[in-house]
Amino acid sequence: MSAFETIIYEKRDGIGYLILNRPQRLNAYNIKMRDEFYQVLSAIKDDPEVMVGILKGEGERAFSVGADLTEFGTAPSRVIARQVRWERDVWGLFLSIPKPMIAAVHGYVLGSGVEMALCCDLRVAAEDAIFGLPEVSLGMIPAAGGSQTLPRTIGRGKAMEILLTADRIDAREAYRIGLVNRVVPRAELYSTAEEMARSIMSKSQVAIRCAKEAINRGLDMSLEEGLELEAKLAAIALRARGGE
């Protein structure tokens, strides 16, 4: 089904599978992948047959080790290379998808690999997963939303520690701090993600999308504003339930 070079896109039984496909480079994120990633995210967002998306990586060693640093050598400077690499708002598109997105990660999950997982709503990790955001060690900071999505996921203190030290953590620690929702044996990683997807798809899709919107938008509002948003979305879900 996939006609891409760096991404495999498959659609089965209401699930859209977005698979990073540069295993020889440990699924490092490059400009070509950025462009194809954008197209696949658009397809998942707009396709009414897709109810849930699952993001995973090809190969045995890594979900993704982040940006492909070999591309920096082809540009006049790191700053220009970084600007070119992020000029298409992939991450804004990713975060705007109203459907639930699940990341199934294994092996090395580094840099923008972590940031891609953070753009998903749920994260399942294999026991061998190793997480890290090494950007400060390279004289940079995360540029795919990590400085914003990480503290919103695990809290300010732990996010500061991970970002400022650039230390790596294993899957169990990632679970303990709330970075991932579940840790499972490697052999059960994808089946677990699919079970979660099927569970979500068995519910009212209007209610699922309203719940996601309530949480994501409400985090940037005051409690009073969030409660008003919740009331509006609850009414939408209730009307949809009455029409079923």
Side-chain angles (χ1 to χ4, degrees):
M1 182 176 181
S2 180
F4 302 110
E5 294 178 20
T6 65
I7 296 286
I8 298 172
Y9 179 52
E10 300 172 344
K11 184 174 68 172
R12 295 193 303 273
D13 301 324
I15 302 174
Y17 296 86
L18 196 169
I19 307 166
L20 308 178
N21 188 33
R22 298 186 73 213
Q24 74 283 2
R25 298 290 302 172
L26 302 182
N27 295 320
Y29 186 91
N30 66 355
I31 292 174
K32 183 69 173 177
M33 184 179 283
R34 176 206 64 189
D35 293 340
E36 295 183 345
F37 202 60
Y38 190 92
Q39 293 180 62
V40 173
L41 289 173
S42 298
I44 290 174
K45 181 177 182 178
D46 297 335
D47 190 341
E49 294 182 355
V50 174
M51 291 182 281
V52 179
I54 294 179
L55 173 63
K56 56 186 182 178
E58 273 290 291
E60 293 300 315
R61 296 178 59 196
F63 168 72
S64 174
V65 294
D68 189 339
L69 297 181
T70 62
E71 292 197 343
F72 287 128
T74 64
S77 72
R78 284 184 175 181
V79 173
I80 293 175
R82 205 162 176 79
Q83 178 181 345
V84 169
R85 188 159 51 89
W86 306 123
E87 65 182 2
R88 179 173 283 184
D89 189 12
V90 173
W91 315 114
L93 172 61
F94 205 153
L95 292 170
S96 74
I97 295 175
K99 305 166 186 180
M101 298 292 294
I102 301 170
V105 304
H106 72 283
Y108 292 111
V109 189
L110 305 177
S112 53
V114 174
E115 293 176 287
M116 283 187 270
L118 284 167
C119 285
C120 292
D121 305 295
L122 300 169
R123 286 161 292 281
V124 184
E127 292 172 334
D128 66 350
I130 299 294
F131 300 83
L133 288 160
E135 283 83 355
V136 295
S137 299
L138 303 171
M140 297 180 284
I141 69 169
S147 66
Q148 305 305 306
T149 55
L150 187 64
R152 283 171 166 79
T153 302
I154 66 172
R156 182 177 183 272
K158 289 305 294 186
M160 281 287 190
E161 180 181 346
I162 289 172
L163 288 173
L164 299 185
T165 66
D167 289 343
R168 297 180 180 182
I169 62 173
D170 62 20
R172 290 296 172 187
E173 176 66 4
Y175 177 76
R176 188 186 72 81
I177 65 176
L179 180 56
V180 300
N181 301 90
R182 297 186 192 178
V183 176
V184 298
R186 178 75 174 85
E188 299 175 15
L189 177 62
Y190 300 138
S191 62
T192 300
E194 289 175 347
E195 286 172 10
M196 294 175 75
R198 285 192 290 269
S199 176
I200 291 169
M201 290 190 295
S202 71
K203 314 298 191 298
S204 163
Q205 293 306 294
V206 173
I208 289 292
R209 296 187 191 192
C210 285
K212 174 173 176 173
E213 183 178 351
I215 293 172
N216 287 342
R217 288 181 57 194
L219 282 172
D220 295 321
M221 296 178 174
S222 68
L223 178 57
E224 182 179 0
E225 292 170 332
L227 291 172
E228 290 178 2
L229 173 65
E230 180 185 75
K232 292 177 182 177
L233 293 170
I236 292 171
L238 190 60
R239 286 196 299 269
R241 179 185 176 188
E244 291 177 352

